[in-house]
Amino acid sequence: MSLDHILLGLLREPATGYDLGNAFSENVRHFWSAELSQIYPTLKRLEQRGMLSSRVEPSPKGPNRRVYTLTDEGRAELLGWLRGDPAVGTERFAYLAQLYFMDALGDIHQTRAFMTALRSHLTRWLAQLRAVEHDVVATHGGDPARYGDAGFHHFAALRMGIHSIGSKVAWCDETLAAIDRRLAPAHDAGAAARDEAWKEMEHLL
Amino acid sequence: MSLDHILLGLLREPATGYDLGNAFSENVRHFWSAELSQIYPTLKRLEQRGMLSSRVEPSPKGPNRRVYTLTDEGRAELLGWLRGDPAVGTERFAYLAQLYFMDALGDIHQTRAFMTALRSHLTRWLAQLRAVEHDVVATHGGDPARYGDAGFHHFAALRMGIHSIGSKVAWCDETLAAIDRRLAPAHDAGAAARDEAWKEMEHLL
DNA sequence: TAGGCCATGTAATGTGTTACATGATTAG
DNA sequence: CTAATCATGTAACACATTACATGGCCTA
């Protein structure tokens, strides 16, 4: 049900489906994703339910645009959602599921490669978020307590991403270290190999 | 597509839909959730696609049970998934969406209440994970590098939850502190109120 | 004898993804 | 002239949630 509410939240100003799609790729993408092909029918549904009204307008560039506006009913629905409990508990981590079952590959090196790939993905993501944070701090200053209302809330959401992804990178490092400790007895195998080599040399003496 | 793969992963031993439902409520719930009403049709679909085979057996207690077994094709599909890239990027945080738009309520106290509720939820969740971790450490020892293959991977997945949720609690604290700094000028409002009161006293003098 | 566990599912609805289809305007 | 951006959607399929329906066996 959240996409509905996100669209309502985005529609403090009237906007088209296309505009909303852009809003997703700019800000909202940090905590939610949606394609235009999902946004258009959702807007239509919200209008049918009386949450939105729309009018068609000519566009300065390109085809006619359908501009949606929040109705009183829609605003009430949005506020109800915001006043409700935090919507927790539906998070799903596909990559954790992979890791959980990865012993089936019977090769810890594959797990290591997996964790390395994951770490590099997370690192890139974290860098993005930090860049956004840097921009915000550059324009609004270092103390979010002094930001405007919207800015404060947006910054808080951003900070969660930074905390959360940062902790996941730390977890990758911890896990990689454990894998390497696990792999360490391979040094013994290496040592055994050197012993072999030594024996071969020995009988030449 | 992940539920399919999780079911395949769980089926290293033959099991019924009901058994798999229990596995979900025991271990898997930490990174994925699914109801029996979703599991049954999914198993049927996997059988139609040749990933599983099933036979009906009498049950020691209760009605007949349909026992599913992984086929070679199913095993190949599972291994392919495990060898693939980490499945990242589809995470959605409904509560972040709420926070992001919460300035619409025009009352930072509501945001504070929201963050407090979220923090208490996360704290309880973290306590659960730590309890599980405690049990594991008690039976298998402190260094996961020495666990069996399955144990090692399960522990790694658990550790991510602990890192990630721990960091979110820290984020809640950071955000609550910022809210309180933001609320601090309310002391000025209090001071203004005292000024008012003083003026009223003054003209009595 | 009441309630919980074992065990299976269907039906209706809702949500999300992928692929396809169309076409104007503008900048290089 | 070509590619990007603006702009809207449909169709088919896949996945998820909620509610409903059934019934035996075991324990308190």
Side-chain angles (χ1 to χ4, degrees), chain B:
Chain B
M1 288 247 135
S2 291
L3 177 61
D4 299 36
H5 294 117
I6 290 171
L7 292 175
L8 296 177
L10 250 13
L11 278 168
R12 301 189 74 172
E13 312 277 292
T16 67
Y18 191 81
D19 296 335
L20 294 168
N22 286 335
F24 268 87
S25 22
E26 281 157 26
N27 320 303
V28 179
R29 127 185 83 99
H30 297 309
F31 52 83
W32 205 271
S33 75
E35 300 299 318
L36 278 175
S37 60
Q38 194 190 353
I39 290 172
Y40 283 121
T42 303
L43 289 170
K44 188 178 276 187
R45 182 157 37 85
L46 287 170
E47 185 171 24
Q48 277 162 8
R49 290 182 192 166
M51 308 285 169
L52 301 177
S53 65
S54 77
R55 57 181 190 278
V56 175
E57 285 181 0
S59 163
K61 28 168 96 176
N64 283 351
R65 15 191 286 128
R66 179 176 294 273
V67 180
Y68 286 94
T69 307
L70 202 55
T71 63
D72 289 342
E73 209 181 328
R75 199 180 324 274
E77 173 65 31
L78 172 64
L79 296 180
W81 178 63
L82 292 175
R83 277 194 274 261
D85 290 328
V88 203
T90 47
E91 287 134 63
R92 290 170 171 189
F93 295 94
Y95 62 85
L96 272 196
Q98 286 174 294
L99 179 61
Y100 186 88
F101 294 115
M102 201 162 283
D103 65 297
L105 291 179
D107 178 7
I108 191 75
H109 292 93
Q110 294 222 237
T111 302
R112 197 177 197 292
F114 182 87
M115 291 302 301
T116 307
L118 184 54
R119 187 187 191 285
S120 100
H121 182 97
L122 293 169
T123 304
R124 254 170 294 145
W125 189 1
L126 183 57
Q128 271 181 35
L129 293 186
R130 282 214 230 268
V132 175
E133 184 189 31
H134 190 267
D135 287 356
V136 174
V137 170
T139 54
H140 298 276
D143 186 6
R146 301 201 181 154
Y147 294 4
D149 276 348
F152 179 81
H153 287 85
H154 297 177
F155 192 74
L158 176 64
R159 288 291 297 165
M160 165 179 133
I162 291 173
H163 275 268
S164 168
I165 300 177
S167 79
K168 282 172 192 160
V169 172
W171 163 71
C172 285
D173 290 336
E174 173 188 298
T175 304
L176 285 166
I179 291 174
D180 289 340
R181 259 178 291 134
R182 199 175 175 74
L183 245 23
H187 291 302
D188 292 344
R194 280 194 299 283
D195 286 353
E196 285 288 323
W198 190 248
K199 272 179 207 159
E200 285 189 9
M201 304 265 301
E202 225 169 11
H203 83 99
L204 293 177
L205 297 179

Side-chain angles (χ1 to χ4, degrees), chain A residues 11 14-17 40 43-48 50-57 65-71:
Chain A
L11 279 167
T16 68
Y40 284 120
L43 289 169
K44 188 178 273 187
R45 183 157 37 85
L46 287 170
E47 184 171 24
Q48 276 161 10
M51 308 287 170
L52 300 177
S53 64
S54 77
R55 57 181 190 281
V56 175
E57 285 181 1
R65 17 193 284 128
R66 180 175 293 275
V67 179
Y68 286 93
T69 308
L70 202 56
T71 63

Side-chain angles (χ1 to χ4, degrees), chain A residues 12 27 31 33 81 87 92-93 98 100 103 111 143 145 147 149 153 156 159-160 163 171 174 181-182, chain B residues 12 27 31 33 81 87 92-93 98 100 103 111 143 145 147 149 153 156 159 163 171 174 181-182:
Chain A
R12 302 189 75 176
N27 321 301
F31 52 84
S33 74
W81 178 62
R92 289 168 173 193
F93 295 92
Q98 287 174 292
Y100 187 87
D103 65 296
T111 303
D143 186 6
Y147 293 4
D149 276 347
H153 287 85
R159 287 291 298 165
M160 160 169 142
H163 274 268
W171 163 72
E174 173 188 298
R181 259 179 290 136
R182 198 176 176 74
Chain B
R12 301 189 74 172
N27 320 303
F31 52 83
S33 75
W81 178 63
R92 290 170 171 189
F93 295 94
Q98 286 174 294
Y100 186 88
D103 65 297
T111 302
D143 186 6
Y147 294 4
D149 276 348
H153 287 85
R159 288 291 297 165
H163 275 268
W171 163 71
E174 173 188 298
R181 259 178 291 134
R182 199 175 175 74

